[in-house]
Amino acid sequence: METTSTEGRILAVLEQDAQASYAEIADRADVSKPTVRKYIQKLESDGVIVGYSADVDPKKLSGQSIAFVGIDVASERYVEATRALKALEPVESLYSSSGDHMLMAEVRAADGDALGDVIAEEILSIDGVTAAHPSFLQERLK
């Protein structure tokens, strides 16, 4: 993120601490609170800021497992399959990808067995999904 512009400095603070108050952001970005408020409202309305989240260490979650799942989809079913995947409750986030798989999904479930069930019974049952390749997260390193 480019941090020389006002917008860049505000976004840099939010990326480090999504819970920072307007006063904290103003102090760290060297701008006024009204400026922070104006920029954040604009960034939200423009779709630059799409949400606020907490970073989670999967190893410290009790009763929950997380996997990133690479998903391959038949091109002619991409739109419908993507809609169906976004509607699945265990799918926390879904990304298009230019890597090995067309889509990457963050999937959460009670444990590894439940994650396997979500992949086998829900993700792979969607019309157009041709493959799902899970990587179970073990420990957050940074």
Side-chain angles (χ1 to χ4, degrees):
M1 169 61 53
E2 181 267 320
T3 58
T4 57
S5 70
T6 300
E7 181 177 289
R9 291 192 314 273
I10 290 170
L11 285 172
V13 173
L14 283 173
E15 287 177 329
Q16 290 173 354
D17 182 2
Q19 291 186 313
S21 69
Y22 284 172
E24 290 172 302
I25 296 168
D27 184 53
R28 291 167 55 188
D30 197 29
V31 295
S32 68
K33 285 194 314 188
T35 298
V36 170
R37 183 175 293 108
K38 178 183 88 171
Y39 272 89
I40 288 177
Q41 287 171 344
K42 182 177 182 334
L43 291 164
E44 288 173 343
S45 69
D46 289 349
V48 174
I49 296 175
V50 295
Y52 299 86
S53 63
D55 291 330
V56 176
D57 183 345
K59 191 173 186 177
K60 295 185 179 177
L61 286 176
S62 59
Q64 190 173 69
S65 293
I66 303 173
F68 282 122
V69 182
I71 301 171
D72 299 324
V73 178
S75 296
E76 67 276 5
R77 299 293 304 162
Y78 181 83
V79 172
E80 296 85 356
T82 301
R83 274 192 203 120
L85 287 162
K86 287 175 12 182
L88 294 177
E89 188 174 329
V91 174
E92 183 74 20
S93 55
L94 182 67
Y95 303 90
S96 60
S97 172
S98 64
D100 292 338
H101 309 288
M102 295 174 84
L103 301 169
M104 293 297 296
E106 178 184 347
V107 181
R108 296 179 181 218
D111 56 32
D113 289 337
L115 266 169
D117 291 343
V118 168
I119 293 165
E121 297 169 11
E122 296 186 54
I123 293 175
L124 288 171
S125 70
I126 293 173
D127 188 27
V129 171
T130 59
H133 305 274
S135 293
F136 292 86
L137 301 186
Q138 301 297 313
E139 180 177 8
R140 182 183 173 96
L141 301 174
K142 179 178 177 184

